[in-house]
Amino acid sequence: MSTDTKMRGGIDLGGTKIEAIIVDERNEVRGSGREPTPTDGGPAGVAAQMAKVLKEAAAAAEVEPASLAGVGVGSPGDVNDEAGTVANAGNLPDWTDAFSLAASLKDALGCPVHLGNDVQVATRAEAELGAGTDFSSLIMVAWGTGIGGGIVLDGRPWLGRGAAGEIGHTVVKDGGAHCRCGRRGCLEAYAGRGSMEDRARREVAKGAQTDLFTIMEQRGRTRLTSSIWAHALERGDHLAHELIDRAVNALGVGIASAVNLLDVEAVIIGGGLGVRFGQPMAERIEAAMKPHLFNDFRPPAVRVAGLGDLGGAMGAALLATG
Ligand SMILES: [Zn+2]
């Protein structure tokens, strides 16, 4: 076993899976692990699973967790790195009150632990190591169950008062579709994977034909995952195409509006759907933005997240660089 203290750990805490990696000083991945996120057991159960996944990654990298320079965590919810706590992690089991995640992981792993917001760390990873390295200002759009966003201006993250980047809740249609946030007309209400699934279920209840739920059942899933959407599109499923077209249009409106405000050099499309659909869909989003760009003779570059699914964990590991 190596005792190289230049190695760092990164944990991406998601609603469905926990991903951990060990990277060396050049940010090369030396080991990784992945397990489902527990659906019960509360925050303590989730923390125990996170420690287990990190230990798997460390074993693969042949390094003791206690000898790591540190472990970073990208988490949903209200993250307070100073206090070492996470609260209101909506998609995780019974996780409303602040839980001392950093202390719990430090006890289990024996090395320093740093916490960050999941989308913010993924944005930093893309800016420093991924598709954003050529640009000093960019917007990251995390297109998944919801739609998160991150902003980098002049090489620095723009966090506002802590809540900046909520591009999913920018309004693309006044009085429009109901959003899961309780408001109406948000981008996420049209393009979030969760909202698209809600809409697909309503259409099926009204008699629409689609293979989406057949594919879901064949795969033993209970939700429409990114790959189920991709598969339905490949099969030419009419409803899937209709809902994705609607999502792409809404993304074009929302992202172009953000670009009109900030005039960033690049837009990076990540998240489960963004990564799964890849470059062809990024080009469709770019085309959908076009009619809404004020500065249309100088559009921003639109790119797919360069780190793929690993962006969250890579960004988390960057938190441990000190
Ligand atoms: Zn909303």
Side-chain angles (χ1 to χ4, degrees), residues 168-169 179 181 183 186:
H169 303 283
C179 183
C181 75
R183 295 168 188 82
C186 301

Side-chain angles (χ1 to χ4, degrees), residues 184-237:
R184 297 186 72 155
C186 301
L187 169 57
E188 186 170 306
Y190 295 89
R193 189 174 51 209
S195 296
M196 290 198 297
E197 176 172 338
D198 292 346
R199 172 102 179 180
R201 288 184 190 276
R202 286 198 303 274
E203 294 294 322
V204 167
K206 285 191 277 180
Q209 298 291 312
T210 177
D211 288 339
L212 278 165
F213 298 102
T214 319
I215 302 169
M216 183 185 84
E217 278 157 28
Q218 282 165 356
R219 296 187 177 190
R221 308 302 291 257
T222 54
R223 291 274 165 228
L224 296 180
T225 61
S226 298
S227 74
I228 293 170
W229 280 102
H231 193 71
L233 289 185
E234 279 155 24
R235 279 198 194 180
D237 185 84

Side-chain angles (χ1 to χ4, degrees), residues 100-120:
S100 297
L101 182 61
S104 171
L105 288 173
K106 189 168 181 256
D107 280 351
L109 300 170
C111 66
V113 174
H114 309 269
L115 307 180
N117 168 279
D118 51 1
V119 181
Q120 284 163 13

